Amino acid sequence: MSSKKADIKVNLENLSRHYGSVAALQDFSLEMTTGEMVSLLGPSGCGKTTVLRILGGLDPNHQGKIFVDGEDITGLPSDKRNMGMVFQAYSLFPNMTVAENVEYGLRVRKINHEVRRKKSMELLEMVHLSHRGNAYPNQLSGGQQQRVALARALAISPKVLLLDEPLSALDAQVRVQIREEIRRIQLETETTTLFVTHDQEEAMSVSDRVGVMNAGQLEQIDSPAVLYNKPKTAFVASFVGVTNRIPAEIDGKGRVRVLNQKIDLSKNSRSAQEGEKVMALVRPENLTLADEFDSESKPGLVITKSFLGPLTKLGVDLGTENLVYINMTSQEARKIEVGNRVALKITSEELMVANG
Amino acid sequence: MVNTQESATRKSGGFSSIFKVIPLVPFSLIFLFFFCWPIFQILKNSLDQGKGHYGLSAYRLMFTKPYMHAFATSLQLSFFSALTAGVIGAVIAFYVHRSSSGLKSTMAMLSGVLANSGGVPLAFMFIAAFGAQGGIVTLLKKVGIDIYSSGFTLYSLTGLILVYSFFQIPLMVLVFTPALEGMRNEWREANNSLGGSNLQFTRWVLIPVLFPAFLASILLLFASAFSAFATARALTGGSVGLVPLVIGSLIDGNVITDQANLGDALAVGMIFVSAVVMVFYGFSLRWARGR
């Protein structure tokens, strides 16, 4: 990566947008470095698509500034921003062949036909569709259409590639295949990419950093591993990965009493008063079966057992509102059956809590 | 064993095929008795020269100047009214499509009513408005505009095009709107993000995508105008020689000796023109759906 290219970055500063009285985005800031792939993750209506559309110039922002390569592009129309976009719905022009679709951005730039054709063939090669250059969009599968849309977006050598849930209309197997292809191409072309999705597995598997959004605000942005292991808010802890919510009580001295154990409260956890009833947020892999029923474990009944290949998930009834899930290797789980009594222990050294 | 199974499968397949066909029987009977049978009768009568003789004399007559002129006038009227109403209707449909849902449903309802309001009442409505002593003509005269002095008359081909537009424009709005509804907003946004202007989008995407549906709609309007009878009859009383009016006059009894089957031959001619239009209409629809 050249040093000049390394300077290019996206700065979104304090963006806000309202739909009537509803705030879709509030004081949202994000910085992206060159060649970085950032995903925005969050529930429906959290504002992630709004960010992408504002960056692409398809929707205006009511407050804040947008900088690309250090240049303020806040008021610039979308056709002057040089950003490639892949949409959730299939968006190829139906009257054009695959090759013509890929060439479109170059055609509007009045690039010579030979150069256009050469570039489109290179990109179709990249998405493994060079043999379908003369096909029309309706002759392609959904996955193929999205690959062509990706090639079309990349043809203009965009400053930023915007992916608006491009895999959500595809079936599970194709989705995995295409997301890996997107990441490969993104790394190959070193294109700064903003990827919006509601699928956390998708976001975690392909991104350099993942931003979790809630109610128009960015709750946390970090690498997938940090996000999963060190969530900064209870929302992130609950939203990313599977989290058990187990009734607990604040024990003073910065500890929480849960499943008959006393565990340190996470530094990121909200402040709580002694004796306050809360919900401890515990990942399934941070629970284990105790060897014996003692005062530092909690007994329960195995209600469900789901085989997940190398892992098996047990659902244990501890007498709380919801089942508590625990992951263990399928080898270990062989001796456990539904209906067995087991004792659960928490293995993590600190816990985050949410309101009870 | 295999053969028995195959035979059983074949039998059950046969039964299921019968059940699939049964719902089509009423429609097939209607099609047979109210479409195929009349066409056959018209075709047969057009060849019937009386006393058990069959020949092409009616067709020879049909190809003479007065009747060919009637066909030319009918085609001219259908072409220009379809084109005028098609263009105006498409523009209205485009703006309605981009408007609020309330206006959309109101326009859909209004178009549905107006598209079916041809015939004698429409003709008299236009006579009351645009006839030589009509309300609008009188009003225009008062402000110094005399449209009749410039050669316009409602009882002419131009007048008929004006009147036909009244039901053709809403018909166009009705049949063209679904094509507009099929336009995806993502296409425009993709064009913008790729650096394309609105003009480039219109030229390279919008028009090519909508053209087959536009053509299909125009052909439908053409067919509708070509076969319209009551409005033209009430308005012109036969002064403009259109094929349906000529056939009407032959049915009414204005028959020249030995030309009893001329009306049938003209009807066959109309069926032929309609069939050609419908073939093109089918191609246009397939072209549009292929997108």
Side-chain angles (χ1 to χ4, degrees):
Chain A
M1 207 183 300
S2 71
S3 61
K4 191 184 174 191
K5 262 189 128 182
D7 291 336
I8 302 173
K9 59 186 174 187
V10 175
N11 267 319
L12 304 179
E13 284 183 3
N14 310 107
L15 296 182
S16 294
R17 175 161 172 77
H18 296 81
Y19 291 103
S21 60
V22 179
L25 205 61
Q26 299 177 70
D27 207 23
F28 179 95
S29 294
L30 172 69
E31 192 172 277
M32 293 168 69
T33 56
T34 305
E36 189 183 27
M37 181 151 178
V38 172
S39 289
L40 291 180
L41 183 65
S44 295
C46 70
K48 54 190 189 298
T49 296
T50 306
V51 173
L52 182 131
R53 292 179 65 83
I54 288 174
L55 177 56
L58 299 174
D59 280 340
N61 53 308
H62 295 135
Q63 276 174 20
K65 294 272 181 196
I66 305 162
F67 295 93
V68 175
D69 295 336
E71 185 192 342
D72 185 354
I73 61 156
T74 313
L76 213 59
S78 58
D79 57 325
K80 301 279 183 287
R81 292 193 180 195
N82 196 38
M83 292 192 190
M85 189 155 175
V86 181
F87 298 84
Q88 180 178 355
Y90 306 136
S91 62
L92 297 181
F93 304 127
N95 59 313
M96 296 180 196
T97 63
V98 163
E100 286 166 348
N101 263 283
V102 177
E103 287 174 31
Y104 190 84
L106 303 174
R107 188 178 173 196
V108 300
R109 285 165 176 74
K110 298 184 170 58
I111 305 285
N112 171 279
H113 181 261
E114 295 300 313
V115 178
R116 273 173 12 210
R117 192 40 61 104
K118 189 168 172 278
K119 178 87 176 174
S120 76
M121 287 318 290
E122 276 171 21
L123 286 161
L124 287 174
E125 196 85 50
M126 190 184 269
V127 296
H128 308 302
L129 282 172
S130 53
H131 61 294
R132 303 306 309 272
N134 292 324
Y136 280 89
N138 66 355
Q139 296 170 312
L140 303 181
S141 67
Q144 287 175 325
Q145 288 193 46
Q146 290 304 67
R147 277 148 68 191
V148 175
L150 180 65
R152 182 177 69 177
L154 288 169
I156 57 169
S157 304
K159 287 182 177 175
V160 186
L161 178 63
L162 306 172
L163 307 174
D164 184 11
E165 306 205 32
L167 311 176
S168 58
L170 308 176
D171 61 57
Q173 209 178 349
V174 179
R175 204 183 295 184
V176 173
Q177 201 183 353
I178 309 260
R179 81 177 183 214
E180 281 164 9
E181 219 162 298
I182 287 175
R183 179 57 164 166
R184 172 182 63 80
I185 292 166
Q186 187 268 329
L187 288 171
E188 260 177 52
T189 56
E190 296 177 359
T191 309
T192 309
T193 303
L194 184 64
F195 182 29
V196 162
T197 178
H198 62 266
D199 184 325
Q200 35 177 296
E201 191 191 319
E202 216 165 81
M204 305 287 261
S205 61
V206 299
S207 316
D208 294 307
R209 286 189 301 153
V210 177
V212 178
M213 290 187 68
N214 183 30
Q217 290 180 316
L218 191 61
E219 293 259 338
Q220 183 179 355
I221 180 159
D222 262 311
S223 69
V226 172
L227 204 66
Y228 188 82
N229 295 315
K230 296 194 182 307
K232 283 183 181 166
T233 66
F235 176 81
V236 175
S238 306
F239 190 78
V240 177
V242 177
T243 306
N244 290 299
R245 291 169 69 89
I246 306 173
E249 192 181 322
I250 301 297
D251 187 31
K253 296 177 189 168
R255 290 193 302 181
V256 59
R257 189 163 51 224
V258 54
L259 301 187
N260 298 332
Q261 288 174 265
K262 287 178 184 172
I263 296 171
D264 287 344
L265 265 175
S266 160
K267 280 186 257 40
N268 292 328
S269 199
R270 67 172 180 81
S271 57
Q273 290 182 342
E274 188 172 351
E276 191 182 337
K277 302 282 185 201
V278 291
M279 284 287 178
L281 305 173
V282 187
R283 299 252 185 238
E285 64 272 23
N286 291 335
L287 283 163
T288 186
L289 295 186
D291 292 334
E292 49 192 44
F293 295 89
D294 56 25
S295 60
E296 291 223 319
S297 64
K298 176 85 174 173
L301 198 65
V302 177
I303 303 294
T304 61
K305 182 181 176 184
S306 313
F307 178 72
L308 305 171
L311 291 178
T312 292
K313 185 163 86 172
L314 300 182
V316 181
D317 183 2
L318 296 177
T320 54
E321 196 180 334
N322 302 312
L323 290 183
V324 172
Y325 290 99
I326 165 171
N327 285 347
M328 57 199 310
T329 64
S330 294
Q331 181 76 18
E332 285 174 324
R334 272 164 51 181
K335 57 190 179 212
I336 314 281
E337 296 300 334
V338 170
N340 284 174
R341 282 190 72 76
V342 292
L344 294 191
K345 269 185 104 157
I346 295 172
T347 57
S348 61
E349 290 172 355
E350 56 175 38
L351 285 180
M352 183 166 271
V353 294
N355 291 342
Chain B
M1 185 65 189
V2 172
N3 285 344
T4 317
Q5 274 181 346
E6 277 179 1
S7 153
T9 311
R10 228 175 280 140
K11 272 181 189 170
S12 70
F15 275 119
S16 72
S17 302
I18 289 170
F19 282 117
K20 278 179 194 165
V21 166
I22 284 173
L24 294 175
V25 170
F27 173 74
S28 305
L29 288 174
I30 289 170
F31 182 71
L32 204 67
F33 287 111
F34 295 99
F35 189 79
C36 298
W37 181 249
I39 287 177
F40 171 75
Q41 280 299 321
I42 289 169
L43 199 61
K44 182 172 159 273
N45 291 345
S46 71
L47 298 168
D48 190 352
Q49 297 184 164
K51 297 172 187 171
H53 296 292
Y54 287 90
L56 295 171
S57 62
Y59 288 97
R60 275 193 285 274
L61 196 58
M62 185 180 86
F63 280 103
T64 57
K65 204 175 174 184
Y67 301 108
M68 280 296 100
H69 185 258
F71 269 103
T73 313
S74 273
L75 290 172
Q76 215 178 337
L77 169 66
S78 308
F79 177 78
F80 285 111
S81 70
L83 199 66
T84 312
V87 171
I88 297 171
V91 172
I92 293 172
F94 187 75
Y95 283 101
V96 170
H97 165 69
R98 296 178 68 166
S99 64
S100 66
S101 59
L103 182 64
K104 268 186 203 175
S105 55
T106 308
M107 279 303 287
M109 192 181 67
L110 204 63
S111 301
V113 173
L114 294 178
N116 291 292
S117 63
V120 180
L122 177 69
F124 285 120
M125 207 170 84
F126 266 83
I127 291 169
F130 289 100
Q133 303 303 322
I136 292 175
V137 173
T138 312
L139 212 66
L140 287 173
K141 267 185 191 165
K142 281 183 182 166
V143 293
I145 304 166
D146 185 1
I147 53 171
Y148 273 78
S149 71
S150 62
F152 170 83
T153 164
L154 186 63
Y155 317 105
S156 65
L157 198 62
T158 319
L160 276 175
I161 291 172
L162 179 73
V163 178
Y164 276 30
S165 297
F166 188 82
F167 62 88
Q168 298 264 57
I169 290 173
L171 183 61
M172 181 67 182
V173 173
L174 278 185
V175 297
F176 194 55
T177 298
L180 292 168
E181 297 291 345
M183 293 292 295
R184 289 191 183 157
N185 199 33
E186 285 85 1
W187 294 340
R188 186 179 290 278
E189 292 184 342
N191 164 74
N192 289 348
S193 71
L194 291 166
S197 63
N198 284 340
L199 189 68
Q200 283 167 325
F201 177 73
T202 305
R203 197 174 139 205
W204 291 337
V205 181
L206 191 70
I207 291 175
V209 167
L210 289 177
F211 185 71
F214 177 76
L215 190 64
S217 306
I218 292 278
L219 288 169
L220 200 68
L221 298 193
F222 181 94
S224 148
F226 190 68
S227 57
F229 170 77
T231 311
R233 174 73 176 259
L235 195 70
T236 66
S239 64
V240 177
L242 301 173
V243 183
L245 299 186
V246 174
I247 295 173
S249 126
L250 290 168
I251 290 170
D252 282 348
N254 304 327
V255 181
I256 304 161
T257 318
D258 296 335
Q259 291 178 8
N261 51 1
L262 177 60
D264 296 296
L266 289 171
V268 171
M270 281 192 78
I271 291 167
F272 175 76
V273 172
S274 300
V276 169
V277 171
M278 283 302 129
V279 167
F280 280 111
Y281 176 68
F283 278 130
S284 306
L285 276 188
R286 277 172 60 186
W287 185 16
R289 283 174 192 152
R291 296 285 164 79

